[in-house]
């Protein structure tokens, strides 16, 4: 395995103080998978103070940031590279809700590796020569594509309730399989999983959704009870049958939509929207007179529920707003009968910046109906009309009107409620007919409206 020359240089720095340093964690795992190592995590027997002094005195100097000094971690920027360097530890700093966080520094690399979660994450490469320290058979598990806890799975999960979710996230991310004992220990750990902070859960869900096949983790979550714990609204979609063109229940449909969005490299917002766009179908399901399931207004209910879920998982508000907006708008029904004004109203309602994302969501939704690729011409009639409308009319928001509020004040209209109504009315007029968007016409209409509204 070829090690980056800078890692070798760092090893010689540690050597001057008679200290050991190892490459550990995800970077080693990636190298054993034949992938380029991403972030560097280093482990050492030097104390954080010693590491700080080492890079203060090195040539060139390294910049040391005490990111997690109480857990023995510092972040070092050295020659354009950034890395986390952690003193050998025996305890994780992860709160399990039962015990205060504590760190105990370990004597050697083997002890440090034994606190790590999975065998594939518990291999160290000794620097500078790259000799592997692999006490738990991590390399063999990587080769076989197996996720296995270091030691007893139930005990390891009891120490940190995030680990079960991490195991399933790695399954989706790497295409690995959790080993049976590891998987079997998850249902018994759910009480501990429930204590993990929402932010940590969210970060794992994000990684699942960013993986090539999110359903791999989500189905395992369902099987082990983690889905019911963290996304009960989605778990409740199992067995909710749909009729018509749909071949799957709402849960499988949602997973397929999310897989498609991931496969097509759609943005994160679209992947989340694809996963959650139909969760409102469960509470809105009703049978009509002819015995067919209906889901009236499910998009509004899905939006409401998505808002609650993403808030609970502490997603940023801007992302919540975008996902909810896409879900609210996902049920548009374009037909050739739509007039130009209807197309313009659609653009205004969705918002130009969201159009592409909404099309993506619809493609994912269409794919997931019967697990069939949408045809290349899918949505084409709509997208063409939208493009035409955009080319013809730039008056697609209040500020594109040929008159401003200031113009109206100059024309004698008082600022306030009436002016708001007038501006909206002018905008509606221009949406109906862009040819009306001239200063002269709009001032004329505004004066007439002002008269009507102030007489009343
Ligand atoms: P990625 O960066 O893709 O999430 P990673 O394996 O680098 O993968 P990190 O969260 O960066 O994961 O953690 C680095 C290493 O720290 C892991 O490889 C593992 O050895 C250890 N580790 C991380 N989280 C835990 C945990 N919850 N319990 C035990 N060990 C952990
Ligand atoms: Mg990492």
């Amino acid at each position: 395995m070829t090690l980056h020359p800078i890692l070798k240089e760092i090893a010689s720095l540690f050597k001057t103080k008679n200290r050991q340093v190892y490459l550990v964690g995800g970077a080693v795992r990636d190298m054993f998978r034949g992938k380029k190592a991403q972030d560097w995590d280093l482990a050492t027997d030097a104390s954080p103070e010693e590491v700080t002094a080492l890079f203060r005195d090195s040539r060139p100097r390294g910049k040391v940031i005490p990111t997690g000094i109480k857990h023995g971690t510092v972040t070092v920027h050295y020659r354009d590279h950034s890395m986390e360097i952690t003193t050998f530890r025996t305890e994780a700093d992860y709160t399990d809700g039962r015990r205060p966080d504590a760190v105990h520094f370990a004597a050697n690399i083997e002890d440090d590796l034994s606190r790590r979660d999975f065998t594939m994450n518990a291999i160290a490469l000794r620097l500078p020569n790259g000799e592997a320290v692999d006490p738990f058979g991590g390399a063999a598990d990587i080769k076989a594509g197996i996720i296995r806890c270091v030691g007893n799975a139930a005990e390891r999960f009891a120490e940190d309730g995030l680990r079960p979710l991490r195991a399933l996230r790695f399954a989706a991310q790497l295409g690995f399989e959790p080993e049976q004992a590891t998987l079997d220990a998850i249902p018994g750990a759910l009480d501990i999983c429930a204590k993990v902070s929402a932010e940590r859960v969210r970060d794992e869900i994000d990684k699942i959704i960013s993986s090539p096949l999110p359903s791999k983790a989500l189905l395992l979550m369902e099987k082990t009870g983690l889905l019911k714990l963290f996304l009960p609204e989605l778990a409740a979609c199992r067995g909710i049958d749909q009729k018509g063109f749909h071949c799957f229940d709402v849960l499988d449909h949602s997973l397929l939509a999310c897989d498609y969005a991931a496969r097509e490299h759609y943005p994160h917002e679209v992947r989340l929207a694809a996963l959650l766009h139909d969760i409102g179908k469960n509470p809105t399901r009703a049978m009509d007179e002819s015995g067919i399931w209906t889901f009236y207004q499910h998009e509004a209910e899905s939006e409401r529920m998505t808002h609650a879920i993403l808030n609970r998982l502490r997603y940023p508000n801007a992302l919540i707003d975008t996902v909810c907006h896409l879900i609210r708008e996902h049920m548009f029904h374009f037909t050739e009968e739509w007039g130009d004004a209807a197309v313009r109203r659609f653009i205004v309602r969705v918002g130009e910046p969201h159009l592409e994302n909404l099309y993506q969501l619809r493609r994912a939704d269409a794919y997931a109906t019967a697990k069939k690729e949408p045809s290349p011409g899918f949505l084409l009639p709509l997208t063409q009309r939208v493009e035409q409308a955009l080319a013809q009319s730039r008056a697609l928001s209040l500020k594109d009107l040929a008159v401003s509020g200031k113009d109206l004040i100059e024309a004698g209209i008082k600022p306030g409620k009436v002016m708001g109504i007038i501006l909206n009315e002018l905008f509606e007029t221009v949406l109906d007919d862009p040819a009306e968007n001239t200063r002269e016409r709009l001032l004329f209409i505004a004066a007439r409206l002002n008269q009507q509204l102030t007489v009343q």
Side-chain angles (χ1 to χ4, degrees), residues 242 250 253-254 276-282 298 302 330 365:
Q242 321 184 59
V250 177
H253 169 73
S254 307
L276 301 173
H277 74 285
D278 271 352
I279 43 170
K281 279 191 168 170
N282 187 14
H298 78 267
S302 295
H330 86 272
D365 192 7

Side-chain angles (χ1 to χ4, degrees), residues 101-117:
D101 290 352
V103 202
H104 301 283
F105 291 118
N108 56 43
I109 186 69
E110 284 82 4
D111 286 348
D112 180 273
L113 293 175
S114 71
R115 72 165 168 97
R116 296 174 183 269
D117 46 8

Side-chain angles (χ1 to χ4, degrees), residues 435-455:
E436 297 274 45
N437 196 18
T438 66
R439 197 181 146 79
E440 202 187 5
R441 274 300 292 161
L442 293 188
L443 285 176
F444 173 78
I445 299 168
R448 205 179 53 196
L449 280 170
N450 189 39
Q451 220 172 26
Q452 285 169 2
L453 286 165
T454 41
V455 165

Side-chain angles (χ1 to χ4, degrees), residues 44-229:
T44 178
D45 59 347
S47 70
E49 294 74 25
E50 286 175 307
V51 175
T52 307
L54 198 64
F55 284 96
R56 189 191 52 215
D57 301 336
S58 68
R59 291 289 165 270
R61 241 180 113 121
K63 191 168 169 227
V64 180
I65 306 157
T67 34
I69 209 94
K70 81 174 180 351
H71 305 123
T73 303
V74 294
T75 302
V76 175
H77 298 284
Y78 181 74
R79 289 196 190 275
D80 286 345
H81 284 262
S82 176
M83 64 214 82
E84 305 229 303
I85 306 184
T86 305
T87 306
F88 294 158
R89 281 197 336 226
T90 53
E91 286 274 319
D93 50 306
Y94 314 102
T95 307
D96 57 15
R98 296 176 309 143
R99 176 189 67 193
D101 290 352
V103 202
H104 301 283
F105 291 118
N108 56 43
I109 186 69
E110 284 82 4
D111 286 348
D112 180 273
L113 293 175
S114 71
R115 72 165 168 97
R116 296 174 183 269
D117 46 8
F118 306 112
T119 58
M120 63 181 183
N121 291 343
I123 313 172
L125 296 185
R126 193 186 179 119
L127 301 178
N129 52 9
E131 167 206 339
V133 182
D134 179 16
F136 308 103
D141 281 343
I142 292 172
K143 199 157 175 226
I146 289 173
I147 299 162
R148 185 198 312 269
C149 279
V150 169
N152 180 285
E155 284 170 19
R156 303 318 307 280
F157 290 166
E159 289 165 9
D160 178 9
L162 190 70
R163 289 175 186 157
L165 190 56
R166 274 174 65 87
L168 305 190
R169 179 262 285 191
F170 281 121
Q173 216 174 30
L174 310 175
F176 283 17
E177 298 301 329
E179 166 263 353
Q180 200 60 44
T182 298
L183 203 58
D184 288 347
I186 297 180
L190 294 177
D191 284 352
I192 297 149
C193 301
K195 294 183 178 162
V196 170
S197 77
E199 288 81 359
R200 293 180 77 203
V201 172
R202 177 203 56 210
D203 289 350
E204 293 303 318
I205 290 178
D206 276 344
K207 286 178 182 174
I208 288 171
I209 303 230
S210 309
S211 78
L213 195 65
S215 67
K216 171 139 190 183
L218 290 158
L219 284 169
L220 286 169
M221 284 175 71
E222 186 195 16
K223 201 165 140 189
T224 51
L226 284 172
L227 195 65
K228 188 149 179 230
L229 180 64

